[in-house]
Amino acid sequence: MIKNEILNDLTLARVVTDLEQDHYNAAFDTPLRPDAFELDDDTKMELIAKHFTAIMETLGMDLEDDSLKDTPKRVAKMYVKEIFSGLNPANKPKPTLFKNPFNYNQMLVERNIAVFSNCEHHFVPIVGKAHVAYISNGQVIGLSKLNRIVQYCSQRPQVQERLTMQIANMLKEALGTEDVAVIIDAHHHCVSSRGIRDAGSTTLTGEYSGQFLNIETKNEFLRYIGS
C-alpha cells in the first residue's frame, strides 16, 4: 500500500514537472497560430503584397510611380525570405558538433554577434549585439552556428526578453548542456524613431543557466565580454 502511494506520488511529481516544463516552453515560444505553415512561401508573398498595396494606397501613395510600383512585392519578399524567415522552423540551423579531444573544459565566449530583429509591437527594427557563452560537456559547436542561432531567433517579430531566452534554449538544445549564458544589448527603433524619440538608450537582457548561475562563473563571463 505504502509502495503504491510512493509510486503515485512519483508519477504525480513527473506530471507536475512536465506541466511546468510545458508552461516554461510556452513562455518563450513566439506566438503563432496552429495553421501558421499551411501556406507556402509564394502564397504568403502574394497575399502580403496585396495587403501592403492596400496600406500604401490608404496612405495616399501613387503606386503608378516607377519608384513605388514594385514596393509591395519587395516588402513581401523581405518579410517572408529575410527579416521574418526565423518564423519558419524549416530554416532552423542544424548544429555541427565536434568531439573535444583536447578536453577544453573552460567557457567559450563569442562576443558582438550582430542582432537584427523587429519589435513585434510596432514592426520597427531592434539592432544590437549578442554575447553568448557555453561550457563544453564533451563536444564543441562550429563557431558560425552560434551566429546562425542568434540570427534565426532574431529573424521574427520579437521582444528582447523572449529573444534572449530563445537563443539560450536553442543553445542548450544544440549543445546538450545547461551551461549557457546569453546577453543582448540592443537599440530599439520603437523608442528612438517614435514615441519618446530617445536615440541614445539601449536595452540589456541576460539569461544564465547551469554553471553560469554561479556568481564567479557569471562574473568571469561578464569580464570577458567587457574586455
Side-chain angles (χ1 to χ4, degrees):
M1 186 70 156
I2 294 175
K3 183 178 179 181
N4 287 339
E5 288 179 357
I6 292 173
L7 288 173
N8 288 336
D9 287 344
L10 288 173
T11 301
L12 178 61
R14 290 193 194 99
V15 170
V16 171
T17 301
D18 289 344
L19 288 172
E20 288 174 344
Q21 185 62 42
D22 289 344
H23 175 74
Y24 181 69
N25 289 342
F28 65 79
D29 285 344
T30 299
L32 288 170
R33 298 197 322 268
D35 63 348
F37 308 109
E38 289 184 3
L39 300 178
D40 60 35
D41 284 357
D42 288 339
T43 303
K44 287 182 178 181
M45 287 189 289
E46 182 181 348
L47 290 170
I48 291 170
K50 288 180 180 178
H51 291 306
F52 205 79
T53 295
I55 290 172
M56 294 180 69
E57 288 175 340
T58 301
L59 290 171
M61 307 295 288
D62 179 8
L63 271 74
E64 297 299 317
D65 185 89
D66 283 345
S67 180
L68 298 177
K69 65 181 182 180
D70 291 325
T71 295
K73 291 180 181 179
R74 286 191 290 262
V75 170
K77 182 179 179 181
M78 176 183 70
Y79 276 9
V80 174
K81 295 294 189 181
E82 297 176 305
I83 66 174
F84 298 139
S85 61
L87 289 171
N88 190 341
N91 296 322
K92 183 177 180 179
K94 296 177 176 59
T96 304
L97 297 177
F98 304 94
K99 292 181 180 179
N100 185 8
F102 27 86
N103 295 320
Y104 181 77
N105 59 3
Q106 303 301 309
M107 74 175 67
L108 183 146
V109 181
E110 187 162 0
R111 303 187 302 174
N112 299 322
I113 301 172
V115 171
F116 294 99
S117 191
N118 278 266
C119 165
E120 69 180 36
H121 299 144
H122 296 94
F123 272 49
V124 291
I126 300 171
V127 181
K129 300 289 184 182
H131 314 288
V132 304
Y134 73 93
I135 299 172
S136 172
N137 69 346
Q139 292 183 305
V140 294
I141 193 170
L143 287 179
S144 67
K145 293 300 186 290
L146 297 175
N147 302 67
R148 292 188 184 280
I149 287 172
V150 171
Q151 181 185 51
Y152 172 71
C153 294
S154 299
Q155 290 182 329
R156 59 187 72 167
Q158 279 288 18
V159 292
Q160 187 171 323
E161 297 92 334
R162 183 199 300 133
L163 173 59
T164 309
M165 295 171 66
Q166 287 180 344
I167 293 169
N169 280 281
M170 191 170 292
L171 286 170
K172 287 189 280 187
E173 176 189 339
L175 291 160
T177 179
E178 289 291 311
D179 301 328
V180 164
V182 178
I183 284 180
I184 296 177
D185 182 4
H187 175 79
H188 291 245
H189 284 241
C190 59
V191 174
S192 64
S193 64
R194 56 161 302 281
I196 191 64
R197 296 185 185 274
D198 180 354
S201 63
T202 64
T203 300
L204 279 164
T205 48
E207 177 77 1
Y208 307 95
S209 60
Q211 294 186 53
F212 287 93
L213 294 172
N214 180 296
I215 191 65
E216 292 181 359
T217 307
K218 182 187 293 186
N219 285 340
E220 182 181 355
F221 169 56
L222 293 174
R223 284 196 301 272
Y224 281 154
I225 67 173
S227 62

